[in-house]
Amino acid sequence: TASHNPPEYNGYKVYWQDGAQFTPPHDTGVAECVAAVKKLSDVKTIDLKKAVEKGLYEEIGKAVDDAYINNVKAQVLSSEAIKKEGDKIKIVYTPLHGTGNIPVRRVLDELGFKNVYVVKEQELPDSEFSTVSYPNPEDEAVFELALKLAKKEDADLMLATDPDADRLGVYVKDTKSGEYKVLTGNMSGSLLCEYILARRKEQGLIPENAEVVKSIVTTKLADAVAKNYGCRLVEVLTGFKWIGRHILENEENKKGSYMFGFEESYGCLIGTYARDKDAISASAALCEAAAYYKTKGKSLWDVMLDMYEHYGYYKDCVESLSLSGIEGRKKIDGIMQDFRENVPDEMGSAKVNFVRDYKKGIITNRLTKDTMSSNLPKSDVVYYDCEDGTWVCARPSGTEPKIKFYFGVKAGTYEDMLERAEKLKKDIELKISNIK
């Protein structure tokens, strides 16, 4: 695949006419057509030359590239700040042997960021991803070469796009300590959300029906940011296709105005020119934000700390349990059943107030026993809403033989945040270990 997944997955992504990945009923319809093929010899084929002549095959060229880059540049909110600081900010970038190399460098250069240092060992396409074991910017190990280059050049920030350039990993420099701090997908997404909404508010660009869209397993810091700027917070199922689908529904129903959307898995979308997460746009926006905040005498790390002080200290984590084969599938099903049927009174010393069972499509208030519809498509997901901003979610992976546990806490101090997160993690591990 072009993505960060290993080659044995042999996968590809399929998009519908609105530019978003397939959602029901189109996904099941295509799957049924594939399953109906009994012999490969029955599959219709066509000569490449004839396909081109009939208009059935077209290579994406300069016209589409230019239109795309222009749309990315059109999202800029602080052009004056870029003019002032763009040629001073130092950026280290690695495409991790993937597709981001040319578009990221092009858009940064055209915007005015002239000090972009590319990790040479990871610059060119390499289907073996020879310098990393797992080319995913969620893995801190992929930044090893970038960190060396950043320290050499005294860079302000580091960017890493995954091979299909839809996910962005980020390190930013703490100017006080000189250390490079990692921003998780939840952190970089929240920081971009803050920046975009703050600048839009200053420029009078937040309409009454403004919305911020996130997946159900994404940090609740996004909820606080959206509320602060008077935006409705919309939650969708995991997978950026659902954010794309919500944008389409807004357009068809003429309801909400999309301001920003992101997932915890290092993906976001600024604007509606595309319908999938876009690391090119995210790279440009983070550099833009760095320039803007530099005019205010702040680094991106300073802004992140300011957000924690203003909104509270949020920590969000994900743990995975790999269980392959038929027995693994049975174990995963058993864990999901236990999370549904044996709901604890507390998780991480916080009362479990609501249980969202997305497979049944029901949200249960454990205090009143009242139920309501989740208003989302059915999915094998269980979510505990606890007091004090604590939450836990369990879901089988859609692409790998594993089950994922997402959880988060909110606290008044950094130390309390770490303590609460560790307690919650242990409670989840204990619950899993007790499942027969």
Side-chain angles (χ1 to χ4, degrees), residues 223-354:
D223 303 44
V225 175
K227 182 179 179 181
N228 186 58
Y229 292 98
C231 297
R232 176 176 175 244
L233 192 284
V234 178
E235 285 192 325
V236 297
L237 293 176
T238 305
F240 217 91
K241 62 185 180 182
W242 299 108
I243 295 179
R245 177 166 166 165
H246 183 78
I247 295 173
L248 179 62
E249 289 171 350
N250 274 350
E251 291 175 344
E252 291 177 339
N253 301 324
K254 293 180 172 54
K255 288 187 176 179
S257 293
Y258 177 90
M259 297 288 103
F260 184 69
F262 75 109
E263 294 184 304
E264 55 79 34
S265 55
Y266 290 60
C268 69
L269 176 63
I270 304 158
T272 59
Y273 61 91
R275 300 297 158 91
D276 206 348
K277 50 187 180 287
D278 182 5
I280 314 302
S281 174
S283 297
L286 266 170
C287 294
E288 176 194 345
Y292 173 77
Y293 289 120
K294 195 166 186 177
T295 65
K296 308 296 182 183
K298 294 183 178 182
S299 68
L300 290 179
W301 185 246
D302 292 332
V303 178
M304 196 74 240
L305 294 179
D306 287 347
M307 289 179 65
Y308 285 142
E309 284 296 314
H310 179 72
Y311 296 112
Y313 285 80
Y314 290 79
K315 185 171 180 60
D316 303 275
C317 310
V318 58
E319 298 286 337
S320 298
L321 180 60
S322 296
L323 296 162
S324 59
I326 296 175
E327 290 302 316
R329 182 69 251 181
K330 289 180 180 178
K331 180 68 174 176
I332 289 173
D333 291 343
I335 292 172
M336 292 303 300
Q337 183 179 352
D338 183 85
F339 266 74
R340 284 188 170 88
E341 297 178 356
N342 300 311
V343 180
D345 292 331
E346 292 185 352
M347 290 294 286
S349 300
K351 288 183 179 179
V352 180
N353 291 335
F354 294 87

Side-chain angles (χ1 to χ4, degrees), residues 216-229:
I216 58 176
V217 296
T218 298
T219 178
K220 289 190 174 183
L221 176 54
D223 303 44
V225 175
K227 182 179 179 181
N228 186 58
Y229 292 98

Side-chain angles (χ1 to χ4, degrees), residues 138-149:
E138 294 181 69
D139 183 359
E140 294 181 19
V142 304
F143 279 92
E144 182 179 350
L145 294 173
L147 274 167
K148 289 181 181 178
L149 183 57

Side-chain angles (χ1 to χ4, degrees), residues 59-71:
E59 290 190 8
I60 295 173
K62 185 176 184 299
V64 173
D65 290 345
D66 291 348
Y68 166 73
I69 293 295
N70 288 337
N71 272 280

Side-chain angles (χ1 to χ4, degrees), residues 11-153:
Y12 60 95
K13 296 180 179 179
V14 188
Y15 292 80
W16 197 240
Q17 60 192 17
D18 63 326
Q21 289 188 52
F22 272 14
T23 54
H26 310 306
D27 53 356
T28 53
V30 170
E32 287 169 2
C33 290
V34 173
V37 176
K38 303 304 178 185
K39 295 185 298 182
L40 285 178
S41 58
D42 291 338
V43 177
K44 293 181 180 180
T45 62
I46 187 172
D47 178 76
L48 176 59
K49 185 178 179 181
K50 290 182 178 178
V52 173
E53 290 172 353
K54 290 187 175 185
L56 299 173
Y57 180 94
E58 181 181 355
E59 290 190 8
I60 295 173
K62 185 176 184 299
V64 173
D65 290 345
D66 291 348
Y68 166 73
I69 293 295
N70 288 337
N71 272 280
V72 171
K73 290 160 62 177
Q75 310 308 315
V76 170
L77 295 165
S78 304
S79 55
E80 290 302 316
I82 296 176
K83 287 180 183 177
K84 183 177 181 180
E85 301 292 348
D87 60 350
K88 301 182 184 70
I89 291 175
K90 293 183 178 182
I91 303 154
V92 163
Y93 169 63
T94 172
L96 296 178
H97 305 294
T99 60
N101 184 37
I102 293 174
V104 167
R105 294 168 72 174
R106 175 182 169 182
V107 76
L108 291 181
D109 179 68
E110 292 185 11
L111 285 175
F113 296 99
K114 301 303 180 181
N115 297 310
V116 179
Y117 305 88
V118 179
V119 177
K120 291 297 180 184
E121 299 92 332
Q122 298 170 332
E123 177 181 4
L124 300 179
D126 176 4
S127 60
E128 299 297 324
F129 308 117
S130 55
T131 63
V132 292
S133 59
Y134 181 48
N136 186 345
E138 294 181 69
D139 183 359
E140 294 181 19
V142 304
F143 279 92
E144 182 179 350
L145 294 173
L147 274 167
K148 289 181 181 178
L149 183 57
K151 290 174 182 176
K152 176 186 174 184
E153 302 294 345

